[in-house]
Amino acid sequence: MAVATGAQLIARTLHDLGVTVIFGIVGIPVVEIAEEAINLGIRFVAFRNEQACSYAAILAGSAETSGVTKGAFQEMDAVSFLTPHTKFAVRTTSLDFVNGAIKNAYRTCWYGRPGPTFVDLPADIIQGKSAPSVRLLAPETTLVAAPPKTAGDPASIAKAVGLLRTARAPLLIIGKGAAYARAESGICRLVEQTQVPFLPTPMGKGVVPDSHPLNASSARSTALKHADVVLVLGARLNWILHFGEPPKWSPRAKIIQVDICAEEIGRNAGTAELGIIGDVGLVVDQLLASLSNWRYAPSSSPTDGQFSSLLAESAKKNETKAQKAALLPTSPGSPLTYQRAFHVIKTTLNSLAPFEDGNIVYISEGANTMDISRSAFPLNHPRQRLDAGTYATMGVGMGYIVAAHEAYNATSNDKKKKIIALEGDSAFGFSAMEIETMARYRIPALIYVINNSGIYHGDSTSHDAWTTLQDQTIANDTKSDDGKKGLRSTSLLYEMRYEMLAQMCGGKGFFVRNEQELENATRAGFESDTITVVNVIVEPGIGKKIGFAWQGDAGKEGTAKL
């Protein structure tokens, strides 16, 4: 045995917990932890920007304990700052405390509702040497056991079953919590057995294949507005689901929330006495057993609203509209539309890796880009889509790409998956330097920057016109009849050459203006073994209302299954 340094204790604790990959940005003295981890066989992925790195994981160094309140270098009370946003945040105060703090943080990540934890590691702890009583022991395995699972209260199950059996317009909502719970097998059986329509949230897609005929995504607004009993499986009643409130939802809807987190039950329009606390997979098994002899049979009575007919009519209308936009060829000299660009990308990718095989992981962020892509790319397998999520945080895409690659490709024995990112030009700019990170670690992601030269929309359809607006702005010449002369607050550099970021790192970059160029770039990027950025010039959207279609009254009818 040898006397241990703090860095060695930290690295050894992570190794013994089974950690195989660490994300980070090194500086003194955090670099010492990284080097010790590498020596133990842990893969260390060094980012360029702390923001992007934090979207992959959180573990941080800080000022010496003796420097707190003195204005020490990089002194910040990170624990107080992060406590409201994490499940667990702690500052280690001694070498004796390091092992237990990291183990507790690791366990807390996965127990209950998964979420981030934070461990603050002061510089004097990292660089300190242990007392004789604290020595570096031989490696041991201290893997955290899988979280215990709880089933639902039988009385609550019976109440939910009674409501479903008498429902005239039942609906299942499948959230990302169902995907986290790996409950896809049971939920698929529940859909098949009961024949109840289902609606996945963006990251709940694929728990039941999007291709399933009972998928109500194409009639999203109609489904929410007319459903009278809604079983919510692992989804929050937040802005993504319009808080469960009218006018998007029926004011008479009975909402049965199934969640592992007790505090979520009864939130917003949820009815507390109908909620079921428990593991989604176990609760679904209970429901299956109690509904074994029941199948939803839509009534033809006019008073029932003919729910299935309403869904079918709405879906047909919206799918026809979406197909029309996707299949409309781009006129010569005109920019691509979002819908047409996504159609070309989707069909090309499907020819290279059929969606049924589940060999692609999609990442998306941005306003128009994320909103439209949610419906444009079908998923038949769970846990293969990441987007800005509950908090709609922009800039997450690059960190998510690296994390997804490491999860699916770096250490997995399963078939490798291609990471595809659909990035708005503004969102991409938050963390664009991580292109170098991907090049350094040979992460062959395929990134599309959907470039409309603006945030929400751009200001011009030509470089000359944009330059005129720029000149007006520089000259502070804003006098005009409409009061809108000069660059707007949403403007970005016209047709910025984002693809060159990949080229400067030895990757591949494509500047795309038309359908054939987009198809060629997609094929080359998919088959490439290095980072690829495809800069797709799309319509600027001049004159369109600024808004996000999934938020509030700006919401459109639904998401089409294309």
Side-chain angles (χ1 to χ4, degrees), residues 102-354:
I102 293 175
K103 285 182 179 179
N104 278 332
Y106 191 86
R107 178 186 57 81
T108 305
C109 276
W110 307 113
Y111 279 44
R113 171 181 284 168
T117 57
F118 174 73
V119 179
D120 190 351
L121 302 166
D124 51 330
I125 301 298
I126 295 172
Q127 296 181 316
K129 291 186 177 181
S130 66
S133 60
V134 181
R135 295 182 179 273
L136 190 62
L137 301 176
E140 60 176 309
T141 299
T142 56
L143 297 178
V144 173
K149 295 181 179 182
T150 58
D153 179 355
S156 299
I157 296 292
K159 189 180 297 184
V161 167
L163 287 172
L164 287 169
R165 284 179 178 274
T166 58
R168 294 177 174 178
L171 179 68
L172 301 181
I173 291 182
I174 303 171
K176 64 184 176 186
Y180 290 166
R182 298 183 178 271
E184 53 267 21
S185 177
I187 294 175
C188 285
R189 293 199 308 273
L190 182 65
V191 170
E192 289 295 335
Q193 178 176 305
T194 65
Q195 290 294 293
V196 172
F198 70 92
L199 180 68
T201 64
M203 282 194 279
K205 286 167 64 69
V207 170
V208 180
D210 280 344
S211 57
H212 196 286
L214 288 171
N215 185 356
S217 293
S218 299
R220 184 177 188 271
S221 293
T222 298
L224 294 178
K225 189 174 184 64
H226 293 276
D228 63 349
V229 176
V230 184
L231 179 63
V232 181
L233 300 174
R236 294 183 177 100
L237 292 176
N238 57 17
W239 67 273
I240 290 178
L241 289 174
H242 312 289
F243 313 108
E245 299 172 348
K248 291 291 185 180
W249 291 59
S250 167
R252 297 177 297 279
K254 292 180 172 60
I255 303 174
I256 306 166
Q257 295 169 277
V258 179
D259 206 286
I260 200 169
C261 178
E263 290 79 3
E264 198 65 35
I265 304 298
R267 186 181 181 192
N268 296 326
T271 306
E273 57 266 28
L274 297 181
I276 302 173
I277 302 169
D279 175 80
V280 170
L282 293 183
V283 171
V284 167
D285 287 342
Q286 291 175 286
L287 292 171
L288 276 165
S290 298
L291 292 168
S292 60
N293 61 348
W294 176 80
R295 173 174 288 207
Y296 172 55
S299 170
S300 60
S301 170
T303 58
D304 289 351
Q306 301 178 350
F307 188 50
S308 296
S309 297
L310 286 171
L311 293 181
E313 292 170 6
S314 179
K316 182 178 180 180
K317 174 184 175 182
N318 293 316
E319 289 176 2
T320 299
K321 181 179 178 181
Q323 284 281 68
K324 182 178 180 181
L327 297 178
L328 182 65
T330 306
S331 301
S334 298
L336 291 160
T337 63
Y338 283 90
Q339 291 84 354
R340 186 60 181 170
F342 289 154
H343 176 75
V344 172
I345 294 170
K346 179 183 69 174
T347 53
T348 306
L349 288 176
N350 194 35
S351 71
L352 297 166

Side-chain angles (χ1 to χ4, degrees), residues 47-53 55 365 394-402 421 423-440 447-449 492 496-505 531-533:
F47 279 72
R48 295 297 297 264
N49 178 273
E50 290 175 338
Q51 171 183 295
C53 184
Y55 297 139
E365 62 172 329
M394 292 297 103
V396 299
M398 300 301 102
Y400 280 3
I401 291 171
V402 177
E423 296 279 315
D425 49 350
S426 174
F428 178 71
F430 279 69
S431 306
M433 268 307 297
E434 301 308 332
I435 295 296
E436 188 272 339
T437 303
M438 297 175 214
R440 190 173 357 118
I447 301 172
Y448 296 91
V449 180
L492 295 175
M496 171 73 178
R497 299 299 296 267
Y498 296 107
E499 78 284 356
M500 292 185 177
L501 287 170
Q503 293 173 348
M504 74 180 186
C505 298
I531 184 67
T532 301
V533 174

Side-chain angles (χ1 to χ4, degrees), residues 16 44 64 74 86 103 145 215 218 239 340 439 442 536:
D16 290 350
F44 183 83
E64 295 88 345
Q74 293 186 339
T86 59
K103 285 182 179 179
N215 185 356
S218 299
W239 67 273
R340 186 60 181 170
R442 296 183 180 178
V536 187

